[in-house]
């Protein structure tokens, strides 16, 4: 069974930094597009950042210039470096792996930005 395990969430002060990690197992990691989504209560899950199998990236306007997504195909891991975080970045962050029409999800990791 495919597993995506996120880690690195927690409490961070506004203006601070946090790095999320997502370790994948039982998939051919290198061929999957990997992404980070986030969701707040009462809202739909939204795409924060994506890194495709070929390495190209895209970001939501709200995180562009502050967040960086990267992947290490040797470790089957995708990262989200979050800098200059804002209270509006507080959410549950979900890792996603997608190939064709098949998409897998992690269990989520909570990020709280508060002083």
């Amino acid at each position: 069974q495919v597993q995506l395990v996120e880690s690195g969430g927690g409490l961070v002060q506004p203006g601070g930094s946090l790095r999320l990690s997502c370790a994948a197992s039982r998939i051919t990691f290198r061929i999957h597009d990997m992404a980070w989504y986030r969701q707040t209560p009462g809202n739909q899950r939204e795409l924060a950042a994506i890194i495709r199998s070929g390495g190209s990236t895209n970001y939501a306007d709200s995180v562009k210039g502050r967040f960086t997504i990267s992947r290490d195909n040797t470790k089957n891991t995708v990262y989200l470096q979050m800098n200059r975080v804002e209270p509006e970045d507080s959410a549950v962050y979900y890792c996603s792996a997608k190939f064709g029409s098949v998409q897998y999800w992690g269990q989520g990791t909570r990020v709280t930005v508060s002083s």
Side-chain angles (χ1 to χ4, degrees):
Q1 187 171 349
V2 173
Q3 279 194 317
L4 300 176
V5 180
E6 300 101 332
S7 61
L11 176 65
V12 59
Q13 292 188 341
S17 297
L18 207 62
R19 189 174 85 153
L20 306 182
S21 299
C22 171
S25 58
R26 301 186 183 91
I27 60 170
T28 306
F29 183 80
R30 60 179 173 78
I31 68 173
H32 282 74
D33 295 341
M34 302 299 298
W36 288 96
Y37 288 74
R38 62 187 187 180
Q39 187 171 23
T40 54
N43 293 310
Q44 287 189 333
R45 199 169 292 187
E46 64 171 10
L47 178 68
I50 184 170
I51 182 165
R52 297 175 183 82
S53 58
S56 63
T57 58
N58 282 100
Y59 297 90
D61 287 343
S62 56
V63 308
K64 202 172 293 183
R66 299 186 298 118
F67 291 9
T68 302
I69 189 170
S70 61
R71 64 191 296 163
D72 186 339
N73 289 344
T74 66
K75 297 181 178 179
N76 287 4
T77 301
V78 62
Y79 305 97
L80 185 68
Q81 178 66 43
M82 305 168 63
N83 296 330
R84 303 196 313 276
V85 296
E86 304 167 353
E88 293 74 21
D89 295 321
S90 296
V92 177
Y93 284 73
Y94 295 91
C95 174
S96 162
K98 190 169 185 287
F99 180 72
S101 61
V102 179
Q103 187 167 17
Y104 304 102
W105 295 94
Q107 82 288 351
T109 186
R110 183 175 298 278
V111 172
T112 302
V113 182
S114 175
S115 54

